Amino acid sequence: MIDLIQSYLPEGTSSNSKSRGFIRVSGTPVEMPFTFIQGANPGKAILLTAGVHGGEYPCIETAIQLANELDPTEVSGTILIIHPVNPAAFLARMQYYGPYDGKNLNRVFPGKALGSVSERIAYQIHQFQQAADFFLDLHGGDIHEGLVPFVIYSELGGSEVAEQSKQASALLGFPYVVGSVSDNGSIGAAAKVGTPGFLAELGQCGRWNQAEVAQYKTAVINVLRSFAVLPGTVVRHEVAFLEKMLVTTATLDGCWYPAVALEDKVGKGQKLGEIRDYFGVMQAEYFSDSDGIVLYLVTSLAIMTNDPLCAVGVTK
């Protein structure tokens, strides 16, 4: 990790130090703000990212506060915090997509060195993923999205990587932990090169408050303690492990009317909602493909073709 970040650090930086700066993404105007903490003692290399999606605010503020509050004298190993990953999307208050190429950054991993702006950002993050011992990608309810706190871990990369990711996910203390086989998102790309990690979700509808940030910080610190990166007792939590998450997407543009609420238990074939046209006439209905629990739900009236509508976590 330190070899990759070295060129961005002040000359002579050594252990027991904290450095701040900007990581320039080659061939783009993007500069990602970072904090790099070199602990007083040797240990694991941790990568923590927040703000892959610009409208997810609790995670970004959590990363900023952790970057300021973590004390290098208490750290064993190194922690690279990037806050936010997607600053242009953050400033533009954009949901999902980036302003330069209109792409969803978390759908283009592992990225391309000579690709579009989003692909180049993903490529840069992927270099750090490969150098890390563990990867924490913090997310939350986007501007148009309500959710119950949950964690996704990748089942790619082999059973050992998946199991480490799964167990660390549970240490956040969020109610639900779900496996994923997606290979174009941040955690899938990390897992495929052997780096365990998770994608955490906490927050609602493009808002943030200090209580959520405090919860997020406590959760992250608990995970870091489990790797002996920070001192302290690790708290074990009872969580529900889900087999997978089924996302229902829109098949046309229009107005979205959900028929379920967050954490509703739904049955296979149960109506999730409908899309109506601008005259209030129903154009399409959507039904659950499985029994499960509603983990997130789009809250905006406006909906576009291929937008997610609802996600159901399937119980084992």
Side-chain angles (χ1 to χ4, degrees):
M1 180 79 76
I2 193 168
D3 292 338
L4 289 175
I5 199 71
Q6 190 71 54
S7 63
Y8 301 104
L9 302 179
E11 189 173 346
T13 302
S14 59
S15 61
N16 194 20
S17 66
K18 181 184 294 188
S19 303
R20 299 181 175 91
F22 292 87
I23 298 167
R24 294 176 297 279
V25 178
S26 177
T28 80
V30 176
E31 293 186 327
M32 300 183 293
F34 78 88
T35 300
F36 186 62
I37 302 167
Q38 296 187 68
N41 300 299
K44 293 186 179 296
I46 303 296
L47 172 63
L48 189 155
T49 57
V52 164
H53 293 138
E56 300 178 358
Y57 302 137
C59 64
I60 297 171
E61 180 60 18
T62 294
I64 291 170
Q65 291 189 21
L66 282 172
N68 285 324
E69 294 170 6
L70 291 177
D71 184 348
T73 63
E74 296 185 343
V75 172
S76 296
T78 59
I79 308 173
L80 174 60
I81 305 175
I82 303 178
H83 50 88
V85 169
N86 206 341
F90 172 74
L91 293 175
R93 304 186 187 94
M94 293 187 70
Q95 59 191 35
Y96 290 155
Y97 306 109
Y100 295 111
D101 55 14
K103 293 184 178 181
N104 185 334
L105 176 54
N106 205 36
R107 299 295 182 271
V108 298
F109 276 86
K112 297 178 182 178
L114 300 178
S116 70
V117 172
S118 294
E119 290 167 338
R120 290 178 186 233
I121 295 172
Y123 180 81
Q124 179 67 71
I125 295 297
H126 190 56
Q127 307 315 300
F128 295 125
Q129 288 176 340
Q130 294 178 76
D133 293 309
F134 198 85
F135 171 50
L136 298 81
D137 191 19
L138 308 188
H139 287 247
D142 213 321
I143 292 167
H144 61 301
E145 187 178 77
L147 57 82
V148 59
F150 67 96
V151 195
I152 306 171
Y153 70 92
S154 178
E155 295 180 339
L156 305 178
S159 58
E160 184 177 341
V161 170
E163 185 62 22
Q164 187 176 356
S165 301
K166 178 181 178 180
Q167 296 306 317
S169 297
L171 294 176
L172 288 171
F174 294 0
Y176 304 102
V177 173
V178 58
S180 169
V181 294
S182 171
D183 64 356
N184 62 358
S186 62
I187 55 170
K192 288 180 72 174
V193 294
T195 302
F198 56 66
L199 187 157
E201 296 273 10
L202 172 67
Q204 297 287 331
C205 303
R207 300 189 297 266
W208 74 276
N209 59 63
Q210 189 54 45
E212 289 176 334
V213 172
Q215 179 185 354
Y216 227 151
K217 287 194 295 183
T218 298
V220 169
I221 287 170
N222 196 46
V223 173
L224 296 180
R225 284 174 174 165
S226 76
F227 294 122
V229 172
L230 290 178
T233 302
V234 178
V235 178
R236 304 291 172 178
H237 299 277
E238 291 291 330
V239 303
F241 291 102
L242 305 178
E243 180 181 355
K244 57 186 175 181
M245 185 171 71
L246 301 177
V247 179
T248 300
T249 57
T251 54
L252 69 164
D253 299 348
C255 304
W256 164 240
Y257 297 86
V260 293
L262 291 177
E263 263 191 301
D264 276 359
K265 293 182 178 180
V266 298
K268 183 176 181 180
Q270 182 174 337
K271 185 172 178 177
L272 300 174
E274 63 185 44
I275 293 178
R276 304 175 192 166
D277 65 18
Y278 300 131
F279 301 98
V281 179
M282 192 268 290
Q283 299 295 307
E285 294 180 288
Y286 299 88
F287 302 89
S288 180
D289 291 325
S290 175
D291 296 347
I293 298 166
V294 177
L295 295 180
Y296 78 73
L297 191 64
V298 168
T299 58
S300 64
L301 182 62
I303 204 73
M304 294 179 64
T305 304
N306 296 324
D307 278 353
L309 297 171
C310 178
V312 172
V314 179
T315 54
K316 293 189 176 182

